[in-house]
Amino acid sequence: MATRMKLKLKTVFVLYFMVSLMGLIYALMQLGQRCDCAEHDMPKDRTISRLRGELHRLQEQMRKAEPTKPPQKLAVKPAQPTIYVITPTYTRFVQKAELTRLAQTFLHVPQLHWILVEDSPHKTPLVSGFLASSGLAYTHLHTPTPRDRKLQEGDPSWLKPRGAEQRNEGLRWLREDRRGQPGADTQLGVVYFADDDNTYSLQLFEEMRGTQRVSVWPVGLVGGMRYERPVVEGGKVVRFHTGWRPSRPFPLDMAGFAVSLKLVIANQDACFDGDAPMGFLESSFLQGLVTMDELEPKAENCTKVLVWHTRTEKPKMKREEALQKQGLGSDTAVEV
Amino acid sequence: MPKRRDILAIVLIVLPWTLLITVWHQSAIAPLLAIRKDDGADGGRREAGQASDSKEYCSSDKDIVEVVRTEYVYTRPPPWSDVLPTIHIITPTYSRPVQKAELTRLANTFLHVANLHWILVEDSQRRTPLVTRMLRETGLNYTHLNVETPRNYKLRGDTRDPRIPRGTMQRNLALRWLRETFNSNSSQAGIVYFADDDNTYSLELFEEMRSTRKVSVWPVAFVGGLRYESPKVNAAGKVYGWKTVFDPHRPFAIDMAGFAINLRLILFKPQAYFKLRGVKGGYQESSLLRELVTLNDLEPKAANCTKILVWHTRTEKPVLVNEGKKGFTDPNVEI
């Protein structure tokens, strides 16, 4: 009788131990799982738990969706040309806003490298901080415009060509960067000069990606007209449809052409002439690179407008200036 | 001898329970690693396992992992989520040369935002092909409406019948559409935001407004002749005034881009609309908000209204002198 009792007790203990151990292991497995927090009645935890589960579901969905979305996402082939976008920028009130919406467009374009060049003797914290959180691949450069070439307060915007030094700095960096990396693959790319206040459609970047030498397309809202465009006959550019000084060698806007990286590297001295007369900035660069019949027309033989030369108004600051005179200006620690 | 056995027995009993209790209070790192690893295997189980009555662990606030954004850069728009509240964006628009450009860059912004529904209302007699085509090509979730502002409302001059602020009829139409489409009993969580087509919006703004319970507010740059206007927030996190120079005693001295409303509130107060006539300059926002909330109910966002997440940019009117009287460019080419 006694032995049987003892045995029973031992069995009980063993059973109890095994059950506890299994319970513990099970609990460990459950760690970090989505929680059924109803019994705790903690709405915050419930929300967090629910969102976590949702997050994983979405991540799963995206992982599944990516390989089967060829029309929207270009399959990343190893030799897909990178688009190098050179943007000159300068400090003014609307700078952060302009760069923000520009970055939102660029984030949709695969294989894009943004070269942002500030018109400044040093890198500003606003731009540095902005680029770091943008999510884009970028290079942050800076070079100041010499005083005599700078527009003064009250000068009309068309008086002096702007951004020449900054674009040249971008080209210089690009050439130097490539010099350190020999090989045919690294010369695969397209260079585009994008000002920070224009508007770009996503289709434009896909059109320019296949540029062999220099490709061109129409630009909206420029030259005092609805749009300016190259005229294409037989697949070749024969002349330019523009209302302003059509006799220029290349009467097109900075936003209306892209140059292949190979060409930029092959012509180490090709750059923008900051002293060129108004409207001749683009020509000063393109003249040494290509002739008109070598131009590659894009955007359905230059009949579609995929980029617009928008300009942003200078915000009225009368009340701000009045307050600042009284020493009551808005908090400068708040970045605008 | 029996004593040792007893001690052993007691140890064996107590050990698993102490381990259990220790692990229960452990911090968040271990569970996160567990998630990443058994993502594939447990994906299915997790989706189905809502009503599991076995004990599961609740994690603390620190668990939220930062999503690597570049993962979904090429998927536009982001996949629809059943959990996130929908953001209904009401944008009035009208035909002018920069219209397509403005809508294009606005769409490029919206394509980053999950669960976004764009309600674009044209100021026109009928929906224009330009906007119809553009909306279709973006791939966004949208509703395309139109209502023409009567000519006498558009013209300036007559002080007895001043021009109504632009976009009012269009915004009201969108509000009416929302009320006809969603009934107040539905559990569809939504936020309503009025976004003009020439402003600039950061992506962070949309995530801030998603948690709106009634009406949330934040600063707006470049309005009221200042660097920015913002609500005044006290230490308790409540709005008590407005930091503006232009008429700070308005009931709601805030720009159209500076607030968002929970859809439930819109449906709950079906008579609340923007006032059409007799509205003083700068009082349009107040004409709607005062029918919906009091100052006390406002929820300040953007780090207690200290960060700028939206800019009231305005686009210059392009100079089209070279078009001349007859038009130099082909009118069939859309810009």
Side-chain angles (χ1 to χ4, degrees), chain A residues 125-317:
Chain A
L126 186 147
V127 176
S128 306
F130 166 78
L131 281 173
S133 58
S134 64
L136 289 164
Y138 68 88
T139 297
H140 184 186
L141 305 169
H142 64 96
T143 184
T145 309
R147 201 171 288 270
D148 56 344
R149 288 210 192 138
K150 253 181 125 85
L151 282 175
Q152 302 307 318
E153 190 71 39
D155 278 349
S157 66
W158 42 260
L159 194 64
K160 293 181 184 136
R162 293 185 301 172
E165 281 77 16
Q166 287 73 37
R167 293 187 190 99
N168 288 338
E169 171 67 10
L171 288 170
R172 184 203 61 77
W173 177 87
L174 204 51
R175 287 168 174 143
E176 210 176 275
D177 188 67
R178 296 296 115 172
R179 207 172 293 141
Q181 303 180 47
D185 242 15
T186 58
Q187 298 217 350
L188 202 62
V190 182
V191 181
Y192 182 54
F193 300 96
D195 289 346
D196 63 6
D197 55 356
N198 291 342
T199 304
Y200 309 91
S201 72
L202 301 179
Q203 209 190 330
L204 177 73
F205 298 101
E206 298 322 311
E207 292 276 317
M208 70 171 75
R209 219 184 271 276
T211 304
Q212 298 299 312
R213 300 182 71 91
V214 175
S215 53
V216 290
W217 48 78
V219 178
L221 311 172
V222 73
M225 306 203 299
R226 284 171 74 243
Y227 61 89
E228 263 185 355
R229 71 180 181 98
V231 176
V232 177
E233 276 166 25
K236 292 229 169 279
V237 176
V238 293
R239 63 180 183 280
F240 294 89
H241 185 87
T242 164
W244 191 71
R245 294 209 190 160
S247 55
R248 292 174 278 163
F250 289 95
L252 28 68
D253 183 78
M254 197 64 72
F257 68 92
V259 188
S260 77
L261 183 59
K262 218 174 1 185
L263 206 59
V264 167
I265 292 173
N267 298 278
Q268 292 281 316
D269 297 324
C271 62
F272 292 94
D273 181 4
D275 290 321
M278 200 47 221
F280 283 77
L281 195 62
E282 294 84 359
S283 306
S284 71
F285 176 65
L286 290 171
Q287 256 175 322
L289 287 179
V290 74
T291 60
M292 185 159 73
D293 60 280
E294 285 173 334
L295 295 174
E296 298 149 52
K298 301 285 177 188
E300 286 179 43
N301 272 340
C302 295
T303 55
K304 295 265 175 287
V305 175
L306 302 174
V307 56
W308 299 263
H309 194 275
T310 43
R311 293 173 52 82
T312 306
E313 276 185 18
K314 199 168 158 191
K316 300 194 182 81
M317 289 284 152

Side-chain angles (χ1 to χ4, degrees), chain B residues 220-288:
Chain B
V220 180
F222 311 142
V223 282
L226 298 171
R227 275 172 81 237
Y228 63 90
E229 272 184 357
S230 114
K232 285 197 207 161
V233 181
N234 62 21
K238 288 257 176 231
V239 176
Y240 67 94
W242 309 97
K243 212 172 0 180
T244 80
V245 168
F246 171 63
D247 208 342
H249 302 294
R250 288 174 274 166
F252 295 90
I254 196 168
D255 182 78
M256 196 66 73
F259 64 92
I261 311 172
N262 190 312
L263 181 63
R264 239 180 292 123
L265 192 58
I266 300 275
L267 301 174
F268 188 62
K269 304 254 172 99
Q271 308 305 321
Y273 282 99
F274 288 103
K275 200 154 171 243
L276 267 180
R277 307 180 66 165
V279 181
K280 256 205 299 181
Y283 280 78
Q284 219 213 351
E285 294 82 2
S286 302
S287 73
L288 174 72

Side-chain angles (χ1 to χ4, degrees), chain B residues 81-246:
Chain B
S81 152
D82 290 325
V83 169
L84 292 175
T86 305
I87 298 180
H88 301 277
I89 306 228
I90 297 176
T91 302
T93 185
Y94 65 103
S95 292
R96 75 269 197 205
V98 298
Q99 182 187 37
K100 191 175 180 191
E102 300 281 44
L103 295 178
T104 299
R105 57 183 169 187
L106 203 57
N108 288 344
T109 301
F110 292 162
L111 281 167
H112 287 293
V113 184
N115 283 41
L116 185 143
H117 173 222
W118 197 12
I119 306 174
L120 193 57
V121 195
E122 291 198 71
D123 185 347
S124 63
Q125 218 172 47
R126 54 187 73 88
R127 301 190 286 193
T128 59
L130 184 148
V131 175
T132 311
R133 250 196 310 262
M134 196 226 83
L135 278 174
R136 207 177 24 228
E137 279 167 8
T138 59
L140 284 166
N141 178 16
Y142 69 89
T143 296
H144 186 185
L145 306 171
N146 71 290
V147 61
E148 192 176 28
T149 313
R151 293 216 66 188
N152 59 332
Y153 281 173
K154 284 193 199 170
L155 292 170
R156 262 185 213 277
D158 189 356
T159 46
R160 280 170 296 161
D161 188 2
R163 197 170 63 124
I164 62 166
R166 200 190 334 248
T168 311
M169 288 190 70
Q170 288 72 34
R171 292 186 191 99
N172 282 345
L173 180 67
L175 287 174
R176 206 180 79 193
W177 181 90
L178 282 169
R179 285 165 176 144
E180 284 169 4
T181 311
F182 299 97
N183 72 66
S184 28
N185 295 330
S186 96
S187 57
Q188 269 277 14
I191 313 290
V192 178
Y193 182 55
F194 298 98
D196 288 347
D197 62 8
D198 54 358
N199 292 341
T200 305
Y201 310 92
S202 73
L203 300 180
E204 213 185 315
L205 176 73
F206 300 106
E207 298 322 309
E208 289 281 307
M209 69 172 76
R210 238 188 256 276
S211 53
T212 304
R213 288 196 303 273
K214 288 196 167 173
V215 175
S216 53
V217 291
W218 48 77
V220 180
F222 311 142
V223 282
L226 298 171
R227 275 172 81 237
Y228 63 90
E229 272 184 357
S230 114
K232 285 197 207 161
V233 181
N234 62 21
K238 288 257 176 231
V239 176
Y240 67 94
W242 309 97
K243 212 172 0 180
T244 80
V245 168
F246 171 63

Side-chain angles (χ1 to χ4, degrees), chain A residues 14-28:
Chain A
V14 170
L15 270 171
Y16 174 73
F17 177 68
M18 295 306 294
V19 166
S20 316
L21 202 66
M22 292 213 279
L24 180 69
I25 293 170
Y26 179 70
L28 273 169

Side-chain angles (χ1 to χ4, degrees), chain A residues 34-35 37 104 107 226 313, chain B residues 46 56 58 73 109 323:
Chain A
R34 198 158 40 93
C35 182
C37 294
Q104 285 163 357
L107 275 168
R226 284 171 74 243
E313 276 185 18
Chain B
R46 213 169 284 127
E56 296 185 34
C58 283
V73 160
T109 301
E323 288 285 350

